Amino acid sequence: MPIQRVKSVGNTQALTSQVGIVRLLEALFACVTFSLVVHQGGWNGRNGDWCMFCWCFCFAMTLLVLLVEFVGLQHRIPVSWKNFPITFAMYATLMCLSASVIYPVTHIQHNAAYGKTKDYRIAATVFSCLTCLAYSVEVTMTRAKPGEVTGYMASVPGLLKVVETFVACIIFVFISEPVSYEQHEGLKWCLAVYCICFILSLVVIVLCIGECTGWLPCAFNKFLSGYTLLAVLMYATATVIWPIYKFNRNQGGVPNRPPGCSSHSNRFCDWDKLVAVAVLTAINLLVYLADLVYSARLIFIQA
C-alpha cells in the first residue's frame, strides 16, 4: 500500500524560525506574567490596570501575528506586513518596559507586600522584564539592515516615530491629572506642541501601516523631513517654555520640591509630575532631532 504524505496545514516556519521562536517566547512570558499577577500577585489602581493591559494586549497581539503568519494571511489583510509586526513589537517593548518599572514600584516597594504575595509579584516582575527583552530582541532582528529594502517602519526613523508617540502619551497622562496647562498661554502652547506632533507622528505610522503614503500631495520623504524639522522647532520652544512657567518663581512657578510632597511616599506628587513633563519634553526633543538627522540622510541617499 503506497505511503501517503500528510501535507502541512500551515506555515510551520513561522513558528520554527528564529523570529517565530522569539515570538513564542514573548507570548509565553506575557502569559506567565499576567497569570502570576491574577493568581496571587494582585493588582490595583490605575497603575495596576495599565500593567495588566500591557501584558494581556501584548499576549493577544503576538498570538494574532503568529496565527496570521502560520495560516499565511499576510497578503489578505489590509495592512502592510512589512510595517505592522515591527511597529507592534516596538510598542510592545515600550509598554512592557513601562509595566516592568511601574508594577514593582507601586506593588512591591510602596505597597508593603509580604510573604507569598510578594514572591508572586517579584516573579511577575522578572517575567515582565523577560517579555520586554524578548520584544526588544524581535525589534533588533527584524529592523532594516544597511542596504536592505523593507518597510519604512523597520527603519530607524520609523522606530523613532513609535518612541515619539509613546513619550507623548506619557506626557499627556502627567499634564492631565491634575490639569497643569491652563494657567498661562505659554503652557497652552506647550500642550499644542505635544498634540500636534503626536498627531502627525501617528498619521505617519498609520499611513505606513495602511500603505497610504501615496495619498500625500507631496513626496513622502520630503513630507517627513519638513514635518520633523517643524517638530524639532516646536519641541525646542516647549523645552524652554515649560520650565520657565513651572519652575521660575517670577512667573509663578515653584523652583523647589514643596515640603508637602514628602507625604506622597507612594506616588508622584503634582510637582514631581511637572518635573517629569519637563524631562520627557527634552527627551522627545532629542528623539525628534535624531529622527530629523536620519530622515535627511534618507533623502540624500535616495537623491
Side-chain angles (χ1 to χ4, degrees):
M1 185 175 180
I3 299 175
Q4 295 182 349
R5 295 181 178 272
V6 180
K7 294 184 178 180
S8 176
V9 295
N11 179 20
T12 56
Q13 188 177 2
L15 304 178
T16 58
S17 64
Q18 291 182 347
V19 177
I21 293 174
V22 170
R23 287 172 178 164
L24 288 173
L25 291 175
E26 295 165 358
L28 175 63
F29 292 152
C31 182
V32 172
T33 302
F34 67 72
S35 297
L36 289 169
V37 174
V38 169
H39 183 52
Q40 282 198 1
W43 80 98
N44 54 72
R46 294 183 178 181
N47 291 326
D49 292 340
W50 165 252
C51 296
M52 182 59 70
F53 168 77
C54 291
W55 299 321
C56 294
F57 175 78
C58 294
F59 171 75
M61 290 301 298
T62 302
L63 287 185
L64 178 63
V65 171
L66 287 170
L67 179 62
V68 169
E69 295 204 344
F70 180 74
V71 180
L73 297 177
Q74 299 94 315
H75 304 293
R76 299 186 180 182
I77 56 179
V79 297
S80 170
W81 207 250
K82 293 181 179 179
N83 291 302
F84 177 77
I86 191 169
T87 303
F88 159 69
M90 190 64 188
Y91 272 118
T93 301
L94 297 173
M95 292 172 67
C96 290
L97 176 62
S98 67
S100 299
V101 174
I102 293 173
Y103 186 75
V105 170
T106 57
H107 289 73
I108 299 178
Q109 180 179 356
H110 292 149
N111 208 11
Y114 299 100
K116 187 177 291 187
T117 298
K118 183 176 182 180
D119 294 338
Y120 271 83
R121 292 181 180 183
I122 293 175
T125 302
V126 172
F127 276 97
S128 180
C129 294
L130 291 175
T131 307
C132 176
L133 178 62
Y135 281 113
S136 65
V137 170
E138 180 185 347
V139 171
T140 303
M141 294 175 63
T142 56
R143 71 181 180 86
K145 308 301 186 294
E148 181 181 2
V149 178
T150 184
Y152 174 78
M153 294 306 300
S155 64
V156 174
L159 296 176
L160 290 176
K161 295 290 188 302
V162 175
V163 178
E164 293 160 3
T165 55
F166 190 81
V167 173
C169 287
I170 301 176
I171 292 176
F172 292 146
V173 171
F174 282 138
I175 66 176
S176 61
E177 187 185 354
V179 176
S180 55
Y181 51 83
E182 293 183 340
Q183 295 85 353
H184 303 281
E185 295 299 324
L187 297 176
K188 294 180 181 178
W189 163 251
C190 293
L191 176 64
V193 170
Y194 304 143
C195 293
I196 293 172
C197 295
F198 169 77
I199 292 173
L200 289 177
S201 294
L202 191 61
V203 166
V204 171
I205 294 174
V206 172
L207 289 176
C208 291
I209 293 178
E211 293 188 326
C212 303
T213 55
W215 293 2
L216 294 172
C218 60
F220 182 58
N221 55 358
K222 294 182 179 179
F223 167 78
L224 290 176
S225 294
Y227 133 71
T228 311
L229 176 60
L230 176 64
V232 168
L233 296 176
M234 293 176 69
Y235 256 92
T237 62
T239 304
V240 175
I241 292 175
W242 183 268
I244 288 178
Y245 284 103
K246 288 300 181 182
F247 307 120
N248 190 329
R249 200 182 303 275
N250 295 331
Q251 300 296 331
V254 181
N256 300 316
R257 196 170 191 259
C261 282
S262 58
S263 62
H264 296 77
S265 58
N266 61 338
R267 62 183 177 87
F268 277 166
C269 70
D270 295 343
W271 191 85
D272 295 333
K273 294 180 180 180
L274 301 179
V275 175
V277 171
V279 173
L280 291 171
T281 302
I283 290 175
N284 235 9
L285 172 62
L286 296 177
V287 175
Y288 275 107
L289 189 59
D291 190 358
L292 177 63
V293 173
Y294 277 102
S295 298
R297 286 181 59 188
L298 287 179
I299 288 184
F300 287 127
I301 290 175
Q302 293 176 358

